[in-house]
Amino acid sequence: MAGDRRGNGEASPLRLIAIAVILIGLVLVSLRLLPGSPFESAAAAKWGEADSSADNRSTGSPTDRSARQPSAPSPSPSLEPLPFVAKNLDLDIEGWYSWSVLDRRTGKIIGSRNMGETSTTASMIKAWIVADYLRRAADAGETPSDAKLADATRIIRDSDNTRAEQFYNLVGRDASIKRLISMCELTDSSVAPDKGWSRTALSPRDTARMGNCIATGTAAGPEWTKWLLNEMKLVRGAGDFGIRKAFPAAERKQIAIKNGWIDRTREQEMHINCLAIGDTWTMGVMVKYPIGMGYDYGMQNCEKITEALLRPGA
């Protein structure tokens, strides 16, 4: 007689099949959770990546990058104020005067209401003529001789007119002033056709721009800018007046300058002009007044105007 085998420890075929199915299922689940497995679900989020499910987007899960708050940008450091204060001047000065300051860090320009009006540059333009010569020489692959550099030194430090005329011829005369206006992005100034460098018309605003053009290296080029600025810091004798004289003595030697002064018999005027280049600024000051008042009056007034604009404690 056949007995019931369920109690003798032998597994039925159905039970073995059920156990096998469960084991296979566990293996498949394990493979789905294994990163990189071919059985991994395409919809499953990988570690460190955002889940694209609607629930994750709606709840703002930590893995949802779209729900994270962007970090606040670091505040820009505030710039130190320039040593000048923008204000209207009402000085006891005979004739016409105008001024402008350019912030070399931002390009911002401040100045008198008439800072776009022009005067003739006289020797102030020599800074550009020397810069133009040096840059063009470097662009041509040439190195100025020691004699030419000595001439350039005399033009800048001592305002030598004869040597300035020689350099003006070398750089193409009026063509050089046209390059100045174009390269330095001047807006108020103009060439005096066939009338020489001294008659170039510049405004105080464009004077400050020309100073910045020299300071940035555009005018003289990267090879000669430092040399030129150093020469301008060493201006001496009759040409050492104006803007930097308004600063404490210890600061003056760090300010590069080039000034111009001339008596215009045709206009019966004195034209006195001042250019200065500091670490963070450039400045132009111009004055015109009756010719009979002499040079010193204008030279002193370039300094007087600067003093009136200096920030207290600067």
Side-chain angles (χ1 to χ4, degrees), residues 27-49:
V27 170
L28 290 175
V29 169
S30 298
L31 289 173
R32 285 167 59 84
L33 295 176
L34 182 64
S37 167
F39 296 97
E40 179 186 14
S41 172
K46 297 181 180 179
W47 294 111
E49 291 187 3

Side-chain angles (χ1 to χ4, degrees), residues 9-31:
E10 295 182 10
S12 68
L14 289 176
R15 187 175 181 183
L16 291 173
I17 291 171
I19 292 172
V21 169
I22 291 171
L23 291 173
I24 292 171
L26 291 172
V27 170
L28 290 175
V29 169
S30 298
L31 289 173

